[in-house]
Amino acid sequence: MTESEFEKFKEWSVNDYAKDLIKSKMSSDKDAYKCAEKEFNELLPMGLSTKNNYLYVMINHSLEKIGFIWYEKENTSGFICDFLVKQNYRNKGYGFETMKLIEQDAKDKGIRKLRLSVFNFNEPAYNLYKKLKYKEVENNDGNAIMEKILDN
């Protein structure tokens, strides 16, 4: 991901997360954007240079930018912080294939367990993670935490 791609990703990520916070009733309309921006900046204080964070632009076979994925590493665990397949590229297998590539990338970096958070209202994403064999380990406040032990 380049710096200009990162700026676009940040804008999208903060706005999208704010909308999800409102939709899940975890934040009011007026506080959601500030909360989302604060969390983003805390997680990536050095932007693209933040240690142990991996941000990628998803590109299809036609070299179109179709989405983003970001995960962080802590020891032998990883957490998928954000994942987007742009609307007009959904339901074409890109999400599934990207997750398989990220799982391999994570294994190559010494990660043995990947976790993620998904809002309960986001049924397509939840179903994708179930199809990829992620197990729900926690569910509170309209949010499910899922994890998968990566094969060696």
Side-chain angles (χ1 to χ4, degrees):
M1 181 178 287
T2 65
E3 279 295 335
S4 66
E5 289 167 336
F6 177 77
E7 290 306 317
K8 288 177 189 169
F9 167 71
K10 179 179 179 179
E11 181 182 338
W12 170 84
S13 184
V14 169
N15 286 322
D16 194 62
Y17 187 45
K19 288 178 201 164
D20 286 347
L21 288 172
I22 294 165
K23 191 172 183 177
S24 68
K25 299 181 177 25
M26 292 173 70
S27 183
S28 68
D29 289 10
K30 70 179 186 106
D31 295 332
Y33 182 84
K34 280 189 268 183
C35 178
E37 186 173 43
K38 180 179 184 280
E39 203 169 312
F40 187 95
N41 290 332
E42 286 172 355
L43 290 169
L44 290 169
M46 305 298 294
L48 276 176
S49 302
T50 304
K51 188 176 179 189
N52 294 321
N53 280 266
Y54 305 95
L55 294 93
Y56 300 100
V57 175
M58 297 162 42
I59 298 172
N60 67 8
H61 295 295
S62 303
L63 303 180
E64 297 167 299
K65 295 175 184 176
I66 63 166
F68 308 97
I69 191 161
W70 158 32
Y71 74 95
E72 64 180 345
K73 177 185 182 214
E74 187 174 320
N75 299 317
T76 60
S77 292
F79 192 89
I80 297 173
C81 301
D82 210 345
F83 179 34
L84 162 79
V85 176
K86 292 180 182 176
Q87 190 70 43
N88 51 328
Y89 296 100
R90 293 182 184 166
N91 300 312
K92 297 180 179 176
Y94 293 122
F96 186 88
E97 290 305 315
T98 297
M99 287 296 293
K100 297 305 278 178
L101 290 169
I102 287 301
E103 289 173 6
Q104 185 59 55
D105 187 66
K107 286 195 302 188
D108 293 346
K109 289 176 173 55
I111 292 174
R112 296 294 158 241
K113 176 174 65 175
L114 265 179
R115 293 174 65 109
L116 55 86
S117 174
V118 61
F119 286 103
N120 290 339
F121 63 77
N122 192 346
E123 206 170 312
Y126 185 88
N127 290 335
L128 170 65
Y129 303 136
K130 290 293 275 187
K131 183 177 175 182
L132 286 157
K133 311 269 190 275
Y134 283 75
K135 305 260 189 280
E136 187 174 320
V137 294
E138 204 177 309
N139 195 324
N140 52 24
D141 293 328
N143 201 32
I145 303 294
M146 303 178 83
E147 73 178 26
K148 180 177 182 178
I149 306 299
L150 302 178
D151 301 329
N152 288 336

